[in-house]
Structures are given as structure tokens and as C-alpha cells.
Amino acid sequence: MMVPAHPLNVKPLGNAFTAHENIKTEAGLFALLPDELITQIMERLNPSGLLRLGCTCKALYAFSRQEDLWKMLYLGSAPSEIKWQGSWLSTYLGISKDQLSRVSCRNLFSDSLHQPFLCAHTSIEPYTHNIPPANAIPRLSDLNAEDFADNWADKPFILIDPVRQWPVYRQWSSDLLLEKYGEIAFRAEAVDWPLKVYVDYMRNNSDESPLYLFDRSFVEKMDLQVGKHDGDHYWSPDCFGEDLFDVFEGQRPDRRWLIVGPERSGSTFHKDPNATSAWNAILSGSKYWIMFPSNPSDPPPPGVYVSEDQGEVTSPLSIAEWLIGFHGEARRTRGCREGICKEGEVLHVPSGWWHLVVNLSPSIAITQNFVPKAHLANALAFLKYKPDQVSGFKNDVKNPYELFVAKLKEKQPELLQKGLADLERLRGARKRKWEELTGPNGNDGLEGRPFSFGFGEGDDEDVP
């Protein structure tokens, strides 16, 4: 698919080397500044100042029309009445997108202006097909709990059958949800929008990274019943068995979300919170997944950088930008797994796995995090040794690790004993890895061989 011309006729920076004119030179002192710095200056302006500056010359007009600038202004203004008008600028101004001025900025060359447009209009289809057989996520009709615990708890897979039995699978569509819940506000990243506004946005936007509806309170808002009894709407697939975080009862962290989004929306690389596993069930649409295990000897996925404590993750700002820049390398990287989860199917994300997901079409999904018995030690380690990264608990839970241990001791003491023993083995494994790198007396132990980093992500990532 060909990328259309930029609406203001801006071209990539490289074209400037063969051009006879560059209208940025007409921007006065701004012409001396890097494009990124101009954008940062504009981020400091109020809407009136931004519009006035955009009237001074064509180059600054183009910079002042950046959608991300108006998105930030709109999200920061929290208007009482919301009506999506097709773009962030037109929505902020309260006019239709067709009423916006459009001045040709031919002979303006800027990667910072052109790249977001390129990413927003680059087809993602070529990146999601022709999956190498070695990378393909296994597809199964179903599993029982014993088979999952023994063979699949550490592997991604797609189940074809369980979700098709849910009442909501047969009933839900965008139009039905709009009819029943259109006035109810759901969380879409930084905003709480009535569903009818979000659906308008979903059906008519050109964002590089579209807003993703990701609501943790949907069960209460929609008055849903979760379970396998008469009148219930959906349930966790049986194979995943018991969720050990259920011992928290009313104090458990956030665990389930309604996910709605247009084509191209999704999540950049991340791991699920609190060392949990997850399942993601597609009720309509389809999603492309690319995943990597966390191994002590392997770095994060290509294009992803983490802080020393792995609490901060840096990656390209948009999914399309990552696909363009790193997808080819990722497919060749050891451990890569890819798959398309289709309508009526559910995908399993094992604890600790890196994953990126993008909608191939408008999609409705339900996802839920859980702690299976096979990953109890991982959850214990995360809660104990990474308290600053624990998330989703209410403020009255001061020490999730101590509460988890106390609840397990009360309800499942034998399982707790095994989990703590497994935790000690994980700590021992990490200590041995450290001694391999530094030597038993703390020296580097690397004479005669090149230096390499020994830890990345893995079973030992959540222990000190």
C-alpha cells in the first residue's frame, strides 16, 4: 500500500539536499533551531499563542498543526462536553475537520513532522503475515488444567474453543455496546469518555498511536456476572485453573479489563504487572502478537531498553515506528513467538514474557491477569523484592507481600511452603550466576574471555 502525500506537503528531511528552496529559512530565529526543539517550545504555549505563532510563516504553521500538540492541550483541558470532530485540533476548536484551514507547506523538509504521518499511514499488514514456522505461537482447540500446569504454563498459546461458549461472544458488537452502554464513561488511557464518543473517535481518527480503551471497572459499569452459572456473561477458561491472587479477596490488585480499539491501536512492549500471567480473549476483530521470553542470558526485544532495575522501559513511541525499525531483526531473534489471535479465540501470556500487540481491525476483547500455581515463586519474588514496581493494589494495602504470605498461610499452607522453597532456589540460581561473572571473591572472573552482561530478564529477574 502506498503512503499518501502529507496533507501539508511536508517532505522528509533528506529531500532538502536536492531542493532549491527550504521555507524553514523564513522562520526567523526559529530557523536556527532543530525541529525537535521547535516542537518542545510549542509544547509550552497556550492554544492562543500556538495559533498566533502558526500565523507568522508557513513553516511555523506546519509545526503548530502537529496533532500531538493539540491532543495534549485537549486532554489537559478536560472539557465538560465532548464531541469528537475527526482530529484533535478540530475537536479542541469545536469545529468540523473540514472547516480547518489547510495551507500548502511545499518545500518544508522535516523528519519530525513527516515521520508521525508516515507511521500513521504505513500498512502494518506486511509485518503480520508470513510468520516463520519456528516463530508461530501454537494453536490448540483446548487444554485441561493438568496439561496446562504440566506443559504449557511457561509457553504462549492460542485456544480456539473456550471463548465461543461465552454468552458475550454471541451477543457483543460495537453497535450493541453502543446501544446499551453509549452514555457510560470508560477509561481510554488518559481520558474518561462516554462510549459513544470513543466509538466516534475509533471510527474516524488518523492518529499514529490511537487511544486504546482499557477499562478495569467494566464488570461493575456494565453490570456483568462473571462465572459459569445461569445468567453469567463470561468466565475464565477452565485450563488456567486457580488464580492464587484470589486469596486477597477484596484486597486483590486490578486483574481484568475491557479492551476496545480501532485498527492500529494496541500496546508497545511490556510485561504484565506483578509477575502475573494473563489471558486475552477476542470477542470481535483480530490482534497480532509478537512475544519474547525472559532469559537470563538474553537482552530485551530489539528496540527496547530497560533501566538497571527494569522499572523503566524505553521503546519507540508508536507500534508502527517499532515495526518499521525493528521487526525484521526481532523475527530473527532467539525465542521470538508470533501469532494472530482471531475472533472467538484466547491467547495465553506467560508470566514475565515481553509482548507487543496491535489490532489488525477494530476489536473488542476481555483480558485478565492471574497467578497459576506454576508461577507462585515468581509472584512472591516480585512482591517481596520489587515493592516499588508493584501496582494495582488499593492504598490500604501497605505490604502486599506480607499480606499474600499471610493469606496463603491461612488458606493454602502447603502450597505456600513449596512456593517459598522455590523462591529460595531462584535466589540461589541468581547467586551462582553472579559468582560466574565476578568470581567467588568478588573479582571479575573474566580473564581470557570477553565481557558480556549475564543478566537480562528471566526467572531470576524478580529476585534480588
Side-chain angles (χ1 to χ4, degrees):
M1 182 177 120
M2 295 292 293
V3 175
H6 190 282
L8 302 182
N9 296 309
V10 176
K11 290 191 163 95
L13 181 61
N15 289 264
F17 293 106
T18 58
H20 298 293
E21 179 186 6
N22 188 337
I23 64 172
K24 188 182 176 184
T25 59
E26 300 170 6
L29 292 177
F30 283 97
L32 304 176
L33 303 179
D35 293 354
E36 294 77 11
L37 183 55
I38 295 175
T39 297
Q40 290 177 20
I41 291 171
M42 288 190 169
E43 288 173 355
R44 305 261 180 184
L45 300 179
N46 61 30
S48 176
L50 191 54
L51 290 171
R52 288 201 303 270
L53 183 59
C55 292
T56 57
C57 69
K58 287 183 177 181
L60 294 179
Y61 170 86
F63 278 94
S64 73
R65 286 310 195 258
Q66 293 178 83
E67 276 286 273
D68 276 351
L69 293 174
W70 294 97
K71 179 180 179 180
M72 288 189 297
L73 287 169
Y74 183 82
L75 297 182
S77 67
S80 56
E81 293 195 14
I82 306 166
K83 183 179 180 182
W84 178 252
Q85 300 279 5
S87 76
W88 291 103
L89 173 56
S90 59
T91 300
Y92 188 92
L93 297 177
I95 61 176
S96 116
K97 187 177 180 180
D98 294 336
Q99 293 177 280
L100 290 176
S101 64
R102 182 174 293 182
V103 176
S104 174
C105 299
R106 189 178 303 277
N107 293 319
L108 178 62
F109 309 99
S110 169
D111 286 341
S112 67
L113 295 182
H114 191 270
Q115 181 75 6
F117 177 81
L118 172 68
C119 290
H121 291 85
T122 296
S123 173
I124 61 176
E125 184 176 350
Y127 301 98
T128 64
H129 290 274
N130 300 318
I131 295 173
N135 291 9
I137 296 173
R139 299 175 63 83
L140 313 167
S141 58
D142 204 351
L143 284 174
N144 59 47
E146 182 178 0
D147 198 8
F148 170 75
D150 292 344
N151 302 307
W152 291 96
D154 295 316
K155 302 172 186 175
F157 56 84
I158 294 171
L159 295 181
I160 298 170
D161 293 341
V163 172
R164 301 179 192 274
Q165 303 168 26
W166 292 357
V168 293
Y169 171 68
R170 298 189 298 270
Q171 298 167 2
W172 279 10
S173 66
S174 294
D175 290 336
L176 183 141
L177 293 181
L178 199 56
E179 179 182 341
K180 292 189 66 174
Y181 308 108
E183 300 296 333
I184 295 178
F186 291 89
R187 190 70 172 176
E189 298 184 24
V191 296
D192 292 292
W193 274 356
L195 184 62
K196 64 180 183 180
V197 174
Y198 181 77
V199 172
D200 284 344
Y201 166 83
M202 184 173 75
R203 293 172 173 172
N204 182 24
N205 82 87
S206 299
D207 284 357
E208 177 186 4
S209 299
L211 283 182
Y212 209 24
L213 190 153
F214 207 83
D215 193 281
R216 64 186 177 185
S217 302
F218 74 99
V219 167
E220 296 78 16
K221 292 176 179 179
M222 303 170 77
D223 195 24
L224 301 181
Q225 302 300 315
V226 182
K228 296 188 72 172
H229 305 97
D230 288 344
D232 290 344
H233 294 87
Y234 79 94
W235 50 85
S236 177
D238 294 336
C239 69
F240 297 124
E242 181 181 11
D243 178 2
L244 296 180
F245 268 6
D246 280 344
V247 299
F248 282 112
E249 297 175 320
Q251 295 176 294
R252 71 163 298 145
D254 300 328
R255 63 167 164 169
R256 56 196 176 201
W257 291 264
L258 172 68
I259 309 174
V260 183
E263 180 182 349
R264 308 176 66 86
S265 61
S267 298
T268 54
F269 272 107
H270 65 284
K271 299 181 185 181
D272 282 328
N274 305 326
T276 56
S277 300
W279 53 259
N280 190 296
I282 315 300
L283 302 178
S284 70
S286 60
K287 296 174 183 282
Y288 169 75
W289 296 76
I290 183 165
M291 312 171 71
F292 293 86
S294 294
N295 293 318
S297 58
D298 292 338
V304 177
Y305 307 92
V306 297
S307 60
E308 186 175 353
D309 66 354
Q310 299 185 25
E312 299 288 337
V313 178
T314 302
S315 65
L317 296 179
S318 74
I319 293 170
E321 187 178 1
W322 183 87
L323 291 172
I324 292 169
F326 298 100
H327 185 262
E329 179 185 352
R331 274 196 164 165
R332 298 187 296 270
T333 299
R334 180 176 64 180
C336 177
R337 294 294 178 268
E338 303 174 71
I340 295 176
C341 193
K342 303 172 185 176
E343 185 171 305
E345 300 177 347
V346 60
L347 179 138
H348 170 243
V349 182
S351 170
W353 276 60
W354 292 100
H355 52 285
L356 173 151
V357 57
V358 59
N359 286 342
L360 302 182
S361 60
S363 176
I364 301 171
I366 293 174
T367 188
Q368 185 162 309
N369 292 70
F370 67 101
V371 177
K373 291 180 180 179
H375 290 152
L376 174 57
N378 291 344
L380 287 167
F382 194 92
L383 297 180
K384 183 173 185 178
Y385 298 118
K386 295 191 173 181
D388 58 320
Q389 297 177 33
V390 171
S391 63
F393 286 90
K394 294 181 172 61
N395 292 334
D396 61 343
V397 178
K398 303 301 183 185
N399 191 319
Y401 172 76
E402 289 184 356
L403 180 60
F404 191 34
V405 169
K407 293 285 189 180
L408 285 172
K409 185 175 182 179
E410 174 188 346
K411 298 174 187 276
Q412 300 202 48
E414 293 182 1
L415 184 61
L416 172 63
Q417 187 175 6
K418 180 181 183 304
L420 292 174
D422 290 342
L423 175 57
E424 288 304 309
R425 280 194 288 273
L426 288 178
R427 294 185 68 197
R430 187 177 191 273
K431 182 178 179 181
R432 288 192 296 275
K433 172 62 73 174
W434 177 254
E435 289 181 350
E436 288 176 12
L437 290 171
T438 64
N441 299 318
N443 58 63
D444 62 22
L446 298 175
E447 291 83 1
R449 57 192 174 100
F451 175 80
S452 65
F453 288 101
F455 341 89
E457 288 63 55
D459 288 339
D460 60 343
E461 69 151 326
D462 294 333
V463 296

